[in-house]
Amino acid sequence: MQSPLITAYYVSAGLFAIQAFFVAMLVRPSLHATQTHYVRVMWSQAGINLLFCALQLCTAWQYSSTDLVSALLAHKWMNTFYVVIPLLGVLTIDKVVRSPESSHYSIFFRVLAAWTMVLLAYNWLSPYGYRFDSIDASARVLMPWDESLLLLRGAPSVVIDLAWLSGVFAILYVLRMVSMVHHTGDKPTTVYLLATVTLVLLTTGIDRAIDAGLLDFPYLDGFAVVLLSFVWFALLGRDIRKSYQYYASTKDKLYREIEQIKSSDLVTHLPNRAGTLQLLRPLLDQHRENGTGLAVFLLDIDRMDVLRGTYGHEAADTLLSLVATRLTEQVRDSDWVARGAGTTFVVVATGMKRGASLQQLHSQAALQLHEKINSVFALPFTLDGHEIRLSSYTGVALYPDNGTTADSLLACAELALHEAKNQSSTALQAFYPELRKQLRSQLEMESELQLAVQREQFELHYQPQVCAVTGRIQCMEALIRWRHASWGWVSPAQFIPLAENLGLIHPIGHWVFHTACQQLVAWRKQGHHDLRMAVNLSAYQLDAPELVGNIEKLLADYGLPSNALELEVTESVLLKNPQRAIERLQRLRQLGVRLMLDDFGTGYSSLSYLRVLPVHGFKLDRSFIQSISDNKKDMAICSTAIDLAKVLELEIVAEGVEQFRQAELLLEKGCSKFQGYWFSPPLNADSAGQCLRSVAAHSFAPTGSLAAVECGSPPLQPQAA
Ligand code: C2E
Ligand code: CA
Ligand code: CA
């Protein structure tokens, strides 16, 4: 090779350029978008590398020049890069290391910038650049390896020493930056770094000796900087890899944490609903593969709202976590407990036998688990020194019988739980397919019922209550009918409980009262002066504080005597607030309204209710009447009830009399008031009016066959009449 040193300059320039390119490539990934620190350091390194590349090229240009003019031009460019590079280094420190956020430049940078401007101006204005005052014309130097270079020599200028001083300061400043940015405790890298820095300092020292005219040698610091730059580049690359790994691992960890929070309940630390679904899905896959069954229990703690209201949220949460602990202790390791919505818990029993013939075994295992769940609530919980007893409702859905997906199983368990609550039964309620249909049609009916009042789909039918002694109709019972546009007639037994739950019973009841009173006024005007109207009153209606006032106004508005209205209540009015119910009934009685206890004998402890409730009489439920002709026990019950009425001086009405024989037997025992299909089914207003007219003319007496026929029933011929 003819000129190895010049080649080395070109090679080093190429290395600087390549590195600048790589650094620029490294900055690009969006990974560093938030790490402005690295981005800036790297861009400035790329910039410095390019400047060094230019410096090396200019050095090669000068040393290989054939004439002094070209060598001087190259020299001036070299000088330019020499003074700009430290300035860029200091700028990097200022912007990146020292105060990344600050928009101010350090004093040092400002002074250096000003000084650099002076040097640049001086460099380009003076004939020989800022280093020399004069140039020795015979500048060629032969290197020991026979390479001839055009090294400029001459009288050093006055500014060169100052330039050197500022250069030294800049280098120290930059070195400080390197030590600040780079905190690796890793020994080899520290050694490399120190070695290259030493090399840079050494070559810079040599440069100084050359400038001072002590040495006849080319500038070598560019080579040392190539090395330094490579080490620096390697360090940065490693830091970036590390930070990427850290970023990736923290992202992973964070993601896991978020998932954990999302899927676990903060109170009980059990999986929440989302977590339950997440856990249930792979579990179902596993059971599908194994051909085993699984049971999803959903249990709701009763009266938790009351406890929350009484003891506060924190205490209620403590209770829930106590329940969670007990539940977790009870189940097998292979089963698991999770938190459902609100106050519910999910318990999953895994690995059960399955198959149609094994259905029973399957549910036996379920029963065993239910026993375990119940045992959780057998002992009281202690909260702030109070003993609290809890109970729960439980619904269960089985895989694969009731559903094959996590969502569908949970939905089935929810419906079963709903049914358990509906039945107020703490026994285990299993899901069955009809349940869904039932509840769906109930939902449908609920929304239709909301509109029924506005759409005027209700109608009142009237069923006569007959006195067998006089053969007259004493009272008409108003019975509501709902004529739905597509379903036809809907039984009140179906929709009244719904209306009660939805609070619709109040507008419906209001309509019934008005319609019944209007009809009664009309009939009374037609000559049925003593006719009464019986209206059914649900417990929810009695609950309304405005009831008594409303009825008083109603009677006044229609000009009816208060005893023309009879209210039929069932013993269910005593369920919620017996004291208030009795008080309300007493006020109604004081008003003069007649009160009857409906469906007598169907609930519990009806006898004591007769004593407690201020009623004028009771209606013996049709279930006793049904089989009095062939069931001695029922007959005995009926005659006892009749005797009881006599003793208590209460009126008694027999409901659901369907056969002549039933009326006959009851009459024998002393009950003379009847209601039932034998006399007349409930009739619409017109038919009921006709019935009233014909009975008034002929009565239900033995000879009154015509009247009975017109009312839709065969005539009654009571023997004792
Ligand atoms: P309830 O008060 O016991 O009404 C008597 C029920 O027995 C009526 O059923 C009536 O049609 C039926 N019935 C009458 N005679 C016979 C008979 O000989 N044999 C048989 N098997 N049944 C007979 P309905 O009309 O379906 O009413 C059912 C229940 O709905 C009523 O029972 C009552 O509790 C309630 N209800 C009806 N109308 C109203 C109302 O306007 N308001 C309220 N709150 N409840 C009402
Ligand atoms: Ca009734
Ligand atoms: Ca009844």
Side-chain angles (χ1 to χ4, degrees):
M1 197 183 288
Q2 271 185 333
S3 49
L5 195 65
I6 298 296
T7 312
Y9 279 111
Y10 284 131
V11 170
S12 69
L15 288 175
F16 274 122
I18 289 169
Q19 237 194 81
F21 173 75
F22 274 120
V23 169
M25 290 286 285
L26 260 178
V27 191
R28 286 190 55 243
S30 55
L31 161 70
H32 312 293
T34 51
Q35 306 201 338
T36 43
H37 180 91
Y38 273 116
V39 174
R40 286 182 187 170
V41 169
M42 290 170 84
W43 278 125
S44 81
Q45 198 200 344
I48 290 172
N49 275 10
L50 283 179
L51 289 177
F52 266 108
C53 168
L55 175 72
Q56 294 295 83
L57 287 176
C58 292
T59 313
W61 172 19
Q62 185 209 307
Y63 292 169
S64 57
S65 291
T66 45
D67 60 308
L68 201 63
V69 179
S70 140
L72 258 178
L73 184 62
H75 181 77
K76 281 186 179 180
W77 274 113
M78 264 170 71
N79 286 352
T80 303
F81 296 121
Y82 259 115
V83 294
V84 171
I85 288 170
L87 189 67
L88 187 59
V90 170
L91 178 72
T92 309
I93 305 168
D94 265 20
K95 284 281 124 205
V96 179
V97 184
R98 217 177 48 91
S99 53
E101 312 307 329
S102 159
S103 57
H104 300 290
Y105 298 95
S106 72
I107 302 281
F108 183 58
F109 173 79
R110 289 189 216 188
V111 172
L112 191 67
W115 174 236
T116 304
M117 293 307 138
V118 172
L119 276 182
L120 285 177
Y122 188 82
N123 180 56
W124 288 98
L125 292 174
S126 82
Y128 309 110
Y130 75 81
R131 288 171 198 252
F132 299 108
D133 275 345
S134 60
I135 290 284
D136 194 343
S138 58
R140 279 211 171 266
V141 170
L142 195 68
M143 289 288 105
W145 53 88
D146 285 346
E147 187 178 4
S148 165
L149 301 175
L150 204 158
L151 298 185
L152 293 179
R153 280 170 304 170
S157 73
V158 273
V159 287
I160 184 88
D161 292 323
L162 284 173
W164 261 104
L165 209 62
S166 65
V168 168
F169 275 123
I171 287 171
L172 290 177
Y173 203 65
V174 171
L175 286 180
R176 223 183 104 227
M177 166 190 89
V178 174
S179 70
M180 276 169 72
V181 172
H182 176 69
H183 307 284
T184 150
D186 178 18
K187 238 188 186 157
T189 43
T190 312
V191 170
Y192 284 135
L193 201 63
L194 279 178
T196 45
V197 167
T198 314
L199 203 62
V200 170
L201 289 176
L202 194 74
T203 49
T204 316
I206 293 171
D207 286 2
R208 174 74 188 112
I210 297 165
D211 280 343
L214 300 172
L215 255 176
D216 255 354
F217 211 75
Y219 291 142
L220 295 176
D221 56 333
F223 298 108
V225 173
V226 174
L227 269 177
L228 179 69
S229 179
F230 265 104
V231 173
W232 178 237
F233 176 67
L235 288 181
L236 266 183
R238 201 190 52 186
D239 274 10
I240 282 168
R241 266 197 308 282
K242 263 200 208 153
S243 84
Y244 178 77
Q245 277 161 4
Y246 172 76
Y247 171 78
S249 75
T250 45
K251 197 180 118 192
D252 248 28
K253 196 166 146 253
L254 204 72
Y255 182 74
R256 275 199 303 275
E257 274 170 11
I258 289 170
E259 281 304 301
Q260 181 88 22
I261 290 167
K262 258 174 36 191
S263 61
S264 86
D265 172 50
L266 296 175
V267 173
T268 59
H269 304 294
L270 292 173
N272 62 14
R273 199 192 154 91
T276 307
L277 289 173
Q278 246 171 36
L279 289 166
L280 210 48
R281 279 175 198 139
L283 206 62
L284 287 175
D285 290 341
Q286 192 193 327
H287 278 64
R288 193 169 297 129
E289 272 169 32
N290 297 348
T292 43
L294 176 148
V296 177
F297 290 79
L298 189 66
L299 58 124
D300 194 8
I301 300 170
D302 196 20
R303 292 184 312 132
M304 205 61 205
D305 47 347
V306 180
L307 290 169
R308 206 177 277 281
T310 319
Y311 292 100
H313 279 263
E314 230 170 275
D317 283 351
T318 311
L319 260 181
L320 285 176
S321 57
L322 288 176
V323 172
T325 316
R326 281 200 200 172
L327 275 173
T328 319
E329 281 165 5
Q330 279 296 328
V331 302
R332 293 178 302 168
D333 284 346
S334 54
D335 301 342
W336 49 266
V337 181
R339 176 91 191 268
T343 53
T344 63
F345 285 91
V346 180
V347 182
V348 179
T350 59
M352 307 206 306
K353 291 199 174 115
R354 81 176 206 205
S357 57
L358 293 169
Q359 170 83 36
Q360 265 177 325
L361 251 181
H362 194 150
S363 33
Q364 249 173 18
L367 282 178
Q368 275 170 15
L369 188 67
H370 184 235
E371 264 167 37
K372 284 185 186 172
I373 291 173
N374 277 347
S375 73
V376 164
F377 301 103
L379 291 174
F381 293 83
T382 317
L383 192 71
D384 296 342
H386 300 279
E387 275 207 346
I388 293 169
R389 286 195 178 272
L390 296 178
S391 60
S392 68
Y393 294 110
T394 315
V396 64
L398 303 176
Y399 167 86
D401 315 54
N402 304 143
T404 50
T405 64
D407 302 72
S408 68
L409 277 171
L410 272 178
C412 290
E414 245 156 57
L415 293 183
L417 174 65
H418 177 86
E419 185 62 5
K421 286 190 198 166
N422 236 4
Q423 308 287 328
S424 328
S425 153
T426 50
L428 182 64
Q429 175 67 56
F431 174 83
Y432 52 93
E434 292 76 46
L435 184 61
R436 186 181 287 126
K437 272 187 225 152
Q438 279 171 22
L439 294 175
R440 191 173 291 164
S441 62
Q442 184 179 317
L443 279 181
E444 253 175 15
M445 194 178 271
E446 277 177 9
S447 54
E448 287 297 299
L449 196 58
Q450 312 258 12
L451 300 166
V453 185
Q454 301 161 23
R455 290 177 179 166
E456 298 183 352
Q457 288 175 339
F458 292 119
E459 206 174 289
L460 275 191
H461 281 201
Y462 304 91
Q463 189 177 29
Q465 282 175 18
V466 179
C467 174
V469 179
T470 60
R472 304 271 160 199
I473 295 174
Q474 284 187 324
C475 181
M476 283 286 196
E477 179 176 0
L479 292 162
I480 194 169
R481 297 288 176 262
W482 177 17
R483 194 210 295 265
H484 186 269
S486 45
W487 302 334
W489 292 109
V490 184
S491 155
Q494 265 182 290
F495 71 83
I496 293 287
L498 274 189
E500 289 175 340
N501 280 338
L502 297 173
L504 285 171
I505 192 70
H506 302 291
I508 293 175
H510 184 79
W511 177 85
V512 169
F513 270 123
H514 278 275
T515 315
C517 285
Q518 214 169 16
Q519 187 61 67
L520 183 62
V521 169
W523 281 332
R524 282 191 162 222
K525 270 189 192 152
Q526 287 164 20
H528 312 288
H529 303 294
D530 302 324
L531 186 70
R532 290 202 301 266
M533 183 66 80
V535 173
N536 290 287
L537 192 74
S538 108
Y540 289 82
Q541 288 174 275
L542 191 65
D543 238 16
E546 64 276 6
L547 176 82
V548 182
N550 281 353
I551 287 186
E552 197 174 1
K553 186 169 180 295
L554 184 85
L555 292 169
D557 286 352
Y558 286 96
L560 283 167
S562 48
N563 67 355
L565 184 66
E566 197 163 274
L567 298 178
E568 296 188 5
V569 293
T570 62
E571 59 189 32
S572 66
V573 295
L574 291 172
L575 273 181
K576 252 208 249 166
N577 189 339
Q579 204 50 49
R580 191 168 59 197
I582 292 168
E583 209 182 271
R584 289 249 158 95
L585 289 174
Q586 263 160 355
R587 282 177 58 201
L588 284 168
R589 195 181 165 118
Q590 279 159 13
L591 245 173
V593 172
R594 287 180 52 84
L595 300 173
M596 294 293 278
L597 183 61
D598 206 352
D599 304 342
F600 178 74
T602 51
Y604 309 94
S605 59
S606 302
L607 284 184
S608 67
Y609 288 167
L610 266 190
R611 213 160 37 90
V612 169
L613 290 169
V615 290
H616 294 91
F618 58 90
K619 296 176 84 177
L620 196 53
D621 190 69
R622 65 168 178 268
S623 56
F624 299 107
I625 316 293
Q626 252 167 22
S627 41
I628 42 168
S629 31
D630 35 50
N631 187 324
K632 283 210 175 89
K633 277 187 193 160
D634 278 355
M635 187 64 235
I637 291 172
C638 285
S639 70
T640 311
I642 293 164
D643 290 344
L644 188 74
K646 271 187 204 143
V647 173
L648 296 175
E649 295 179 352
L650 292 172
E651 189 179 305
I652 181 168
V653 178
E655 277 193 301
V657 179
E658 293 179 359
Q659 296 157 11
F660 170 71
R661 180 74 189 134
Q662 290 165 345
E664 204 176 35
L665 284 171
L666 287 164
L667 202 56
E668 255 174 45
K669 294 292 171 191
C671 171
S672 55
K673 305 241 161 58
F674 303 117
Q675 182 180 350
Y677 293 167
W678 173 261
F679 299 94
S680 166
L683 302 165
N684 65 28
D686 286 348
S687 311
Q690 261 173 30
C691 179
L692 272 175
R693 279 192 295 280
S694 44
V695 172
H698 309 285
S699 88
F700 273 109
T703 50
S705 57
L706 180 68
V709 168
E710 277 182 22
C711 289
S713 317
L716 171 71
Q717 293 168 334
Q719 285 174 346

